[in-house]
Amino acid sequence: MSTKKIPAAIRRLPRGGRKGLVVGALALGLAGGLTAQTVVPGQFALADPVRVDAAAPQSFAPVVAAVKPAVVSVRVTSDRTPRMMSSRGQGIPGFEDLPRDHPLQRFFRQFGGKPGGDDARPQRRASSQGSGFFISEDGYLVTNEHVVAGGSEFTVVGDDGREYEARLIGTDERTDLALLKVDADTEFTYVEFAEEAPVVGEWVVAVGNPFGLGGSVTAGIVSARGRDIGAGPYDDFIQIDAPVNRGNSGGPAFNTKGQVIGVNAAIFSPSGGNVGIAFAIPASTATNIIADLKDDGTVVRGWLGVQIQPVSADIAESLGLEEAKGAIVAEAQADSPALQAGIESGDTILTVDGEAIDGPRELARKIAGYPPETVVELGIWRDGRKQSVDVTLGRLQEKASVTAAVEPTGEATAFVDSLGLELASASKVGAGERGVVITDLANDSAAAEKGLKRGDVILEVAGKQVDAPGDVASAVLGASEGGRKAILMRVKSENATRFVAVPVARG
């Protein structure tokens, strides 16, 4: 194999050699044709092209040889009720609406269920496979939560083919991480998490068990960081282009030092196969979560107790903020640490312990990183100025879903022309004791463009509680006369409360 170095980036054109002489002669010829009035822009002569002297690695073999014994296949066995096609073939695409008198119904009755139309489904042992890796010589190993979910038995297969029974220590669904333990009189080869975050463009090696083939290795680069793919409330994925496929879940992504920079968890794939976009849970996240799981099998997170949303440009303008950053509080939950500390609807959280918060996702991750009973200082924006509030965090619990059914009757409604909204008092239409219900709205109105819809309950306008359509109209008029481009409303939808900045006409 050639040992010739491959340039890491675009280099300057060579200055010596025959080609350099030809280029120089051409340049002289052009220069000789210039007149006294000709001006050559200085930047053409002074600008330098990008030059990077870093060389690509000659081989990943040393890294792979060192880390591969620490990577394992994880087989999961569970008791499942298998999905079988019903007596009408509903389990087969295209046969959902098959008529009952169709000849194929006899086939479905015979092979899709028990004789006599009994559709009782037998329990069956099912198995699935993923990847994992040892993080200690005494047998602790990391994988994904979705790999072990629902499992009753766990078998770990090492790179040498040896099999070990493992027990589940704990899982964390919010970050899709799980910790297993192999109890065996063996010192396992293990790897460590990287302390430094990877940089975009850095080499990455993925090792795992794609399609149940056993230890397989692929290489690529880090494509991006901080990806939010909608997988959970704390999404902060590393995007890599190293080929990752089904079965790679739970496997490690290594840097060239043999350190784990992330745990492979998801792929973007319209077809089900690899298309060069994979996502890994950062080592910084995994380190903390796994430490908690190893401690007592659970993850304990701090809880603030607020419904929050991003600060859009319109919201920032309506509040008088210079930048559209931070997280605006739509509502402080009942009996929450935030409510007890005096956090109010409309407060915009800008910092936590002095560190700037760009948006809700960053705030959620920051608060979750503190243990319960921690006192944190929140920097907030309230009433046009910065303030600080100390909050003693609680313990995060699963939040309940809240659904509000609204059936406007159309009685005692009023139309606010400047907003294109028809409104009614919430108390008169059975939507609660507070607020004003949107009973109708113009499809081309600014309110509709901002996502307001029929049945939404407006609780506050410009920081003031509203209980009648006239309250809304008065607040809008005041904002318009005050020169505001938008007016901020606190709105309750089906299962959440949020702020909406609706443009208003100048008075």
Side-chain angles (χ1 to χ4, degrees):
M1 181 170 59
S2 172
T3 59
K4 183 179 179 180
K5 293 186 178 180
I6 301 174
I10 299 174
R11 297 181 181 271
R12 291 181 179 176
L13 290 174
R15 299 192 179 207
R18 184 176 178 182
K19 184 183 291 186
L21 294 175
V22 173
V23 173
L26 179 59
L28 289 173
L30 291 174
L34 297 176
T35 65
Q37 289 77 24
T38 303
V39 178
V40 180
Q43 63 266 30
F44 292 145
L46 298 177
D48 289 327
V50 172
R51 176 168 180 159
V52 180
D53 292 324
Q58 297 296 317
S59 173
F60 294 109
V63 175
V64 174
V67 304
K68 199 175 180 184
V71 183
V72 298
S73 299
V74 179
R75 291 206 305 257
V76 181
T77 304
S78 59
D79 294 321
R80 293 181 180 176
T81 300
R83 290 190 62 186
M84 300 175 65
M85 52 188 164
S86 70
S87 60
R88 295 193 65 193
Q90 294 178 356
I92 300 180
F95 289 91
E96 297 88 347
D97 300 318
L98 190 69
R100 291 186 179 275
D101 58 351
H102 195 281
L104 283 177
Q105 287 293 352
R106 180 179 178 182
F107 171 83
F108 292 135
R109 283 193 296 271
Q110 181 176 358
F111 297 102
K114 291 186 176 181
D118 185 0
D119 286 333
R121 300 178 182 180
Q123 291 286 90
R124 179 178 298 175
R125 303 283 283 177
S127 62
S128 58
Q129 292 186 337
S131 303
F133 56 99
F134 285 111
I135 58 169
S136 68
E137 65 178 2
D138 59 348
Y140 282 98
L141 64 108
V142 175
T143 186
N144 285 145
E145 186 275 337
H146 76 259
V147 169
V148 301
S152 56
E153 297 178 7
F154 310 97
T155 303
V156 173
V157 183
D159 183 55
D160 57 2
R162 297 182 62 183
E163 296 187 3
Y164 305 90
E165 295 302 314
R167 56 188 174 92
L168 183 63
I169 300 299
T171 64
D172 182 49
E173 185 177 1
R174 292 174 182 266
T175 56
D176 195 18
L177 289 168
L179 182 66
L180 295 170
K181 176 68 165 65
V182 173
D183 295 313
D185 188 18
T186 303
E187 292 185 358
F188 295 99
T189 300
Y190 67 97
V191 290
E192 63 179 0
F193 288 109
E195 294 183 359
E196 296 182 0
V199 296
V200 175
E202 180 178 334
W203 285 106
V204 61
V205 178
V207 184
N209 180 37
F211 305 114
L213 296 173
S216 296
V217 181
T218 54
I221 64 169
V222 174
S223 302
R225 290 174 49 195
R227 290 298 198 206
D228 180 1
I229 63 174
Y234 310 120
D235 279 14
D236 186 27
F237 287 98
I238 301 169
Q239 180 183 325
I240 63 178
D241 76 341
V244 171
N245 290 285
R246 293 179 181 178
N248 270 113
S249 290
F254 294 101
N255 59 22
T256 54
K257 298 177 183 179
Q259 299 170 323
V260 179
I261 64 167
V263 183
N264 297 321
I267 63 173
F268 175 78
S269 176
S271 62
N274 173 266
V275 294
I277 299 178
F279 302 98
I281 303 162
S284 57
T285 299
T287 300
N288 296 329
I289 298 301
I290 295 305
D292 277 358
L293 292 177
K294 188 176 181 181
D295 183 40
D296 61 1
T298 60
V299 177
V300 179
R301 294 183 171 91
W303 176 54
L304 183 59
V306 289
Q307 291 185 17
I308 52 178
Q309 69 181 79
V311 178
S312 65
D314 287 339
I315 290 177
E317 198 283 331
S318 67
L319 294 174
L321 284 167
E322 295 181 359
E323 294 183 288
K325 291 186 176 181
I328 186 169
V329 177
E331 187 171 15
Q333 299 173 13
D335 300 322
S336 67
L339 188 65
Q340 294 174 6
I343 297 295
E344 304 172 356
S345 298
D347 288 347
T348 303
I349 301 174
L350 302 175
T351 62
V352 176
D353 284 342
E355 295 186 14
I357 299 298
D358 288 333
R361 188 159 53 100
E362 187 175 359
L363 176 62
R365 289 200 306 268
K366 187 72 175 177
I367 294 298
Y370 288 101
E373 305 304 322
T374 301
V375 178
V376 297
E377 181 185 29
L378 301 183
I380 66 172
W381 180 266
R382 179 190 292 174
D383 298 330
R385 63 187 182 91
K386 292 182 179 180
Q387 303 180 38
S388 63
V389 178
D390 289 337
V391 182
T392 302
L393 300 179
R395 176 169 179 160
L396 180 65
Q397 304 289 339
E398 294 295 328
K399 62 180 182 180
S401 176
V402 180
T403 302
V406 179
E407 297 180 0
T409 63
E411 299 176 359
T413 60
F415 189 77
V416 180
D417 185 66
S418 58
L419 297 176
L421 298 176
E422 184 182 75
L423 306 172
S425 297
S427 59
K428 295 184 178 181
V429 297
E433 298 179 358
R434 296 176 49 207
V436 178
V437 179
I438 299 176
T439 56
D440 201 1
L441 75 167
N443 293 331
D444 59 350
S445 64
E449 292 178 356
K450 291 296 181 179
L452 294 180
K453 61 183 183 300
R454 189 171 179 260
D456 286 350
V457 180
I458 301 173
L459 300 174
E460 296 178 2
V461 178
K464 297 181 179 180
Q465 180 178 327
V466 293
D467 294 305
D471 296 340
V472 178
S474 298
V476 172
L477 180 61
S480 179
E481 291 177 345
R484 288 289 187 189
K485 296 180 181 179
I487 189 166
L488 194 65
M489 298 182 178
R490 189 162 72 96
V491 181
K492 182 180 180 181
S493 295
E494 294 178 353
N495 59 359
T497 303
R498 70 188 194 281
F499 280 95
V500 180
V502 181
V504 297
R506 292 292 183 93

